[in-house]
Amino acid sequence: MAKETIEFFDVKSKDKFKTNDYRIVDKGGRFFAVTKAKSGPHECWRVVSKDFAHKNK
């Protein structure tokens, strides 16, 4: 099953981009999708729902 494509916002370059290459991180019951930024070595994080996290792990 392929992961859903979602949009991230890179705060350093102030640019939006879409990808399906991310991992799901659980931090204290909150779920985040995390991907490598297009503009550098940093990561972009996005809050996602619990249902989305379980479907796209």
Side-chain angles (χ1 to χ4, degrees):
M1 184 167 97
K3 287 185 183 178
E4 191 176 325
T5 299
I6 57 174
E7 190 169 67
F8 287 87
F9 181 74
D10 183 348
V11 293
K12 288 193 178 182
S13 70
K14 296 183 173 51
D15 200 22
K16 289 182 182 178
F17 62 95
K18 292 183 181 184
T19 186
N20 66 350
D21 181 22
Y22 53 84
R23 69 184 192 279
I24 300 296
V25 177
D26 178 0
K27 282 193 166 253
R30 288 190 82 183
F31 294 92
F32 299 87
V34 184
T35 191
K36 185 183 175 314
K38 304 273 187 223
S39 66
H42 57 283
E43 293 181 324
C44 297
W45 288 59
R46 176 188 166 155
V47 176
V48 294
S49 72
K50 186 185 214 178
D51 291 340
F52 180 91
H54 289 299
K55 276 192 266 182
N56 292 282
K57 266 199 167 160

